[in-house]
Amino acid sequence: VSVLYWLHMAAHDSHVSWTASDARIYNLSVGAGGHAADDGLLDHGSQPRPAPMAPLATLPLGMLHRNAPPLLAPWRNGADRALGELVNFDKKNLVHGDQSIVWPANASVPVAASCVVKHRIIGLEQKRSGVVATSASDFVVDGRRICTSIASMFLRGGTLTERGKDMASSLQWTPEESIRAALAKLKTAQRSGGTKDVFSSVLETAQNQAALYAVNGDDNPIHVDWEVAKQAGFPRPILHGLCTFGMAFRALLPLAAKTLETTQELVNAVACTVRFSSPVFPGQKLMLRATLVGDPGTAAASGVVSITFDVVVHGGSSATTVCRNGAAIFERKQASAPKAKL
């Protein structure tokens, strides 16, 4: 196997595009449409008008698996064989572990875009019960990065091959300062644990939620095929982790806007992270539980708020935590000054 092949495995560019209709479908797939405030996110028409950044901020994650490299889509034909050169694993035992996303200052996520996604493997780690594979993906539109996704996949029961061990020892990732600073702030927020529960929101998932989210491009059969889900040890298909991520993120926006004493249109996302700890089954009712980090008055004065959160199954005999160690940072966008009349 050539050195160029291994370089391709470690770093891979793909091209992804989405239209206003794709954006509309994505927003519907993560719970939009239940409130009048969602109208501007759903009625893009043939000539999309500007939309607020924060509600669209996770849109690139919905497009992540379109034309994705083997690490991000090992269930596809041939992809499992390519990744199998690095890890001995059964593709049905792949689960999403951690997910983070960081946006540059003053970033804008377009309603429609043609995007270059720069993927790279940044970590391969042998654990006792499997292998953790971590990737970073930069989304670049017209030469400007609009966000960076950092995703960890857990290959249950997997073991690194000799080539995998060699690659693991040579992988290095030095993110730019803004990404490093945002990730450090998320860790600080996680360690603080917040003050007390100040906000909760019910997240309704429909029976067809996974089928709807799959339209975005994540075609892993574990989310729609009952037999594949059972082979992986689940009683029925499970919901995409990124769908739960998107729903939770949207639910945080009202709290961020209220704390920053502004409207959701003037809230910018800085960074968000979460760990997927248990599967969600389509049709389950979830509860987001959020806490503020620090004093609300200080956040309003500084224009930056940090929030910690988790997501649990709502109702029933036990409140299973499906997302834990969640943290998000938002900042108030400065309103543009009115142009002077001549």
Side-chain angles (χ1 to χ4, degrees), residues 211-265:
L212 178 58
Y213 191 85
V215 176
N216 295 312
D218 189 335
D219 54 0
N220 188 341
I222 200 172
H223 301 300
V224 293
D225 188 312
W226 283 63
E227 188 59 35
V228 171
K230 288 180 179 180
Q231 290 175 4
F234 301 110
R236 58 190 179 95
I238 61 175
L239 189 60
H240 306 73
L242 288 177
C243 180
T244 307
F245 186 100
M247 296 180 77
F249 180 86
R250 284 179 51 80
L252 291 171
L253 294 179
L255 174 60
K258 180 180 179 181
T259 306
L260 294 174
E261 299 178 356
T262 188
T263 64
Q264 292 187 41
E265 288 74 18

Side-chain angles (χ1 to χ4, degrees), residues 133-156:
T134 305
S135 64
S137 303
D138 288 331
F139 288 77
V140 180
V141 176
D142 295 331
R144 298 185 62 182
R145 182 172 59 87
I146 61 171
C147 68
T148 297
S149 164
I150 301 138
S152 293
M153 304 295 171
F154 184 53
L155 307 172
R156 296 179 296 173

Side-chain angles (χ1 to χ4, degrees), residues 25-46:
I25 291 170
Y26 173 76
N27 280 312
L28 285 170
S29 74
V30 294
H35 305 281
D38 293 333
D39 290 348
L41 301 177
L42 301 176
D43 186 22
H44 296 310
S46 58

Side-chain angles (χ1 to χ4, degrees), residues 81-149:
R81 292 192 296 274
L83 188 56
E85 297 288 343
L86 303 178
V87 184
N88 297 310
F89 76 108
D90 187 329
K91 62 183 179 181
K92 67 175 178 289
N93 288 331
L94 167 76
V95 293
H96 202 152
D98 297 304
Q99 177 65 52
S100 301
I101 181 169
V102 178
W103 299 268
N106 302 313
S108 176
V109 176
V111 172
S114 178
C115 185
V116 176
V117 189
K118 298 180 176 294
H119 305 282
R120 55 201 175 279
I121 300 175
I122 61 173
L124 284 171
E125 184 178 3
Q126 182 70 62
K127 299 286 189 179
R128 184 173 58 181
S129 56
V131 172
V132 177
T134 305
S135 64
S137 303
D138 288 331
F139 288 77
V140 180
V141 176
D142 295 331
R144 298 185 62 182
R145 182 172 59 87
I146 61 171
C147 68
T148 297
S149 164

